[in-house]
Every structure is written in structure tokens, then in C-alpha cells.
Amino acid sequence: MEKIASFTVNHLTLRPGVYVSRKDHVGAEVVTTFDLRMTAPNLEPVLNTAEVHSIEHLGATYLRNHPEYKDKTIYFGPMGCRTGFYLILAGDLESKDIVDLLVSMFRFIRDYEGEIPGASPRDCGNYLDLNLSMAHYWAKRYLEVLENITEDRLVYHE
Ligand SMILES: [Zn+2]
């Protein structure tokens, strides 16, 4: 079988950042898949599932309530390797277009207190597997990249 595009990215040199993973044409529309890379693959520790899960719940809640992006958000969810997330948005977009969105989203996660939205057995398949403190930690860490982002953290390179 053909190697899919996301497996051709050199994970040995990949650093935390915001990258365009792919663009797909769906009918007349373009949808952009972003690689929100939070930790350097095969170099730094990965996120544990409880914080991945917490960021997923809070990030999805933020995006689905955003005045501009709620209608453009197709999907937000974790990578199986637990080094980041995929965000799929309607539109032909570049990484720099969404930096402000991500800064406000990860500030929301960093500062969030109280019960995580959807943290109940009715609303979630594993509602006890959440860790808000570690979600705060990872959001704070990713914001250090996002708030001072440089070109090399916006475009894949070899
Ligand atoms: Zn859940």
C-alpha cells in the first residue's frame, strides 16, 4: 500500500509548532488539516492519555463556541502517538492564519478551572480518565511556542 502523506514527514527533525499536514478538496471546498505538534517526536516525553483527553474536551468546547471558527471546525482530536493534535478546518488556510486562534484556545485551556465539559458517564466514553492540572501544564508549554512563533515552526522542513 502507498505510504500516506503524514508518514512522509521527517519526525526526527520535527519540533513543536503548527504545520499544514494536508489539504483536501471536498466538492468545491478545500479543507485544511493542521498538525498541532506539542512535543518533539521520539525526543521529548509524550502526553499521557488523561491530559490528551482533557485537552480534547476543552479544545473542542472552545472551537465549537468560537464566533468565527465554530462553523469552520470539522474536527479536533489527538494523534495516536500522543505528541499532538489534528485540527481540520474548512477553507484553504496556512499555519499563520490560525496562530491567534490557537493562542486564545490554549490560553483558555491553561486557565480553565472547574469541571471539564462532557466529564460524565453519559457524555463521554471514559470520563474518569482526565487530568486538568496536566492539561494546564501542556497548554502553558505549547503557548511558549505559539506566543513567539517563528517561520521554522510554521512550515515542515527536512
Ligand atoms: Zn471524553
Side-chain angles (χ1 to χ4, degrees), residues 53 56-57 118 123-127 130:
H53 191 192
E56 182 208 22
H57 276 227
D123 297 344
C124 171
N126 192 6
Y127 78 104
L130 292 162

Side-chain angles (χ1 to χ4, degrees), residues 5-146:
S6 63
F7 294 156
T8 66
V9 173
N10 185 356
H11 287 75
L12 296 172
T13 58
L14 194 55
R15 294 295 172 263
V18 182
Y19 306 97
V20 172
S21 174
R22 58 182 294 136
K23 293 186 184 188
D24 292 284
H25 294 262
V26 183
E29 308 297 325
V30 174
V31 297
T32 304
T33 300
F34 290 99
D35 168 338
L36 311 186
R37 195 66 62 157
M38 294 181 68
T39 188
N42 306 307
L43 188 69
E44 298 176 323
V46 299
L47 287 73
N48 289 313
T49 56
E51 45 264 30
V52 165
H53 191 192
S54 303
I55 293 169
E56 182 208 22
H57 276 227
L58 290 168
T61 298
Y62 182 84
L63 290 163
R64 303 281 181 199
N65 283 282
H66 192 281
E68 184 184 349
Y69 284 93
K70 66 179 178 188
D71 296 326
K72 294 181 180 169
T73 301
I74 310 284
Y75 174 76
F76 172 68
M79 295 174 183
C81 59
R82 294 184 276 126
T83 65
F85 290 80
Y86 285 115
L87 172 60
I88 306 179
L89 295 175
D92 186 349
L93 301 165
E94 302 305 330
S95 296
K96 61 178 169 41
D97 299 330
I98 64 157
V99 171
D100 289 349
L101 171 70
L102 295 177
V103 166
S104 51
M105 174 174 150
F106 280 90
R107 283 179 181 163
F108 170 79
I109 296 168
R110 178 195 65 192
D111 299 337
Y112 190 87
E113 296 294 347
E115 191 180 320
I116 294 174
S120 75
R122 184 187 177 281
D123 297 344
C124 171
N126 192 6
Y127 78 104
L128 295 174
D129 189 24
L130 292 162
N131 188 334
L132 184 59
S133 299
M134 283 306 292
H136 289 165
Y137 167 83
W138 283 103
K140 184 168 177 281
R141 192 177 179 276
Y142 193 40
L143 280 163
E144 289 168 13
V145 176
L146 294 173

